[in-house]
Structures are given as C-alpha cells and as structure tokens.
Amino acid sequence: MMKHFGASSYMKKILIFMFISIFALSVFLKIGYTKVLTISHQETGEVYEKIRVESGEVLKYKWIHSFEHIPWIEEYKILDNNSLQLYEIKVAGFGAGIPENKGIVEVRDGMVVMSNLDQNFEEINWINSNTALEYIGLNDEEIIKGSDLPHHEPLKLVVKEMLSIWPRFH
C-alpha cells in the first residue's frame, strides 16, 4: 500500500512540475498564428521565398512590359482573410494586355494610374520572366528579384496563416 501512495505522490509532483513548466514557457514564448507570404513553383511546390507579413502591408510587383518595354507596377494590400486586394496599377503608357480604363484613371508623375480597383485574389499565378519581372516588394522594400526566380516557370504567390512558436522578446 505504501508503494501505491508513493507512486501517486510522485505522479502529482511530475504533473505540478509539467504545469509550472508549461506556464513558464507560455510566458516566454508566443504561440499563435502568423501570416506568411510564400513564393513557390506551381507544379513542384519548391519554395523560393517565405516571409512574415501582416494585414494592411503593401505588396508590389514591378514589371517591364514585354513588348512596349515600359514600367508596369501593381500594388496589392494584404487583407485580414489572407487574400490580396489589387488596389492600384501604374503604367507608363498603353499597349497589348494593359487595361485602358479600370477604376479611377489619372496621370501622376508621368504614369497612368488606375486606382480604387478593389479586386481580390486568393493567390497570384504567373509564368516568370527574368526580363519582365523586375522585383516583388513589400512596403517599398524589394524582397526578391525576378532574375532570382526560375525563367519561364509557373510560379505562385500566396499568403497563409501558419502556426508559429517564437520567443516573445527578441
């Protein structure tokens, strides 16, 4: 009978230790979900870029039009539901494939600006061109150049929430 009582007391001590340890870790670590922007190959799933993002941040694609060789900039907002809202397109002129009348159209700093587009995308799919895609940026900082991605390959950019555990203070 003493063995049983001793084992039970030992188990209580282990449980108390585990509870205190978990509590201490939860104070030091932040456990939750974080938004992650991922650029990957549509077919193989190979990942080329992965970066933490937040709702409201601005994603920018800067292209050089393949035929007219003029700048083309698309700006998206990252939404709470992880979709991407295209809200503005800036182009230096018009040509093949360039919309001529989307949203509110005006000329600013020599660029035709189409704003208030409010088109939502779950992901962005494209065939990459090392010569057409200059870069993809986040909040006016370049995160990857088109030339760093495979040429003439099907790529996608998506924002998803992922479970994460990281130190609360760093």
Side-chain angles (χ1 to χ4, degrees), residues 31-99:
I31 300 170
Y33 286 91
T34 187
K35 292 182 184 308
V36 177
L37 178 150
T38 304
I39 300 171
S40 61
H41 195 282
Q42 288 180 33
E43 296 166 356
T44 68
E46 182 177 351
V47 174
Y48 304 106
E49 185 66 50
K50 201 175 229 186
I51 185 169
R52 277 191 191 150
V53 294
E54 294 183 20
S55 297
E57 290 190 296
V58 175
L59 176 73
K60 182 187 290 188
Y61 272 78
K62 182 163 186 216
W63 307 92
I64 297 298
H65 192 280
S66 61
F67 187 72
E68 278 78 18
H69 303 286
I70 57 175
W72 176 329
I73 300 164
E74 298 173 357
E75 293 186 1
Y76 301 80
K77 282 185 187 162
I78 299 170
L79 302 179
D80 288 337
N81 67 1
N82 301 325
S83 65
L84 301 159
Q85 182 181 63
L86 174 63
Y87 70 92
E88 192 168 84
I89 297 173
K90 300 174 191 168
V91 292
F94 291 106
I98 298 174

Side-chain angles (χ1 to χ4, degrees), residues 80-163:
D80 288 337
N81 67 1
N82 301 325
S83 65
L84 301 159
Q85 182 181 63
L86 174 63
Y87 70 92
E88 192 168 84
I89 297 173
K90 300 174 191 168
V91 292
F94 291 106
I98 298 174
E100 77 282 353
N101 194 13
K102 282 185 93 147
I104 298 171
V105 181
E106 60 184 318
V107 176
R108 270 191 260 143
D109 300 323
M111 299 281 281
V112 177
V113 179
M114 292 166 258
S115 58
N116 292 349
L117 302 176
D118 300 332
Q119 277 185 281
N120 292 350
F121 298 88
E122 296 302 313
E123 60 187 36
I124 299 173
N125 295 289
W126 77 100
I127 305 295
N128 190 56
S129 166
N130 293 147
T131 56
L133 178 60
E134 278 195 33
Y135 69 84
I136 299 171
L138 185 67
N139 300 325
D140 293 324
E141 288 187 35
E142 182 180 296
I143 58 173
I144 194 163
K145 293 179 190 231
S147 58
D148 293 336
L149 297 167
H151 189 55
H152 289 167
E153 292 292 329
L155 304 181
K156 74 176 177 179
L157 180 146
V158 65
V159 174
K160 295 199 179 213
E161 291 198 14
M162 303 178 85
L163 183 63

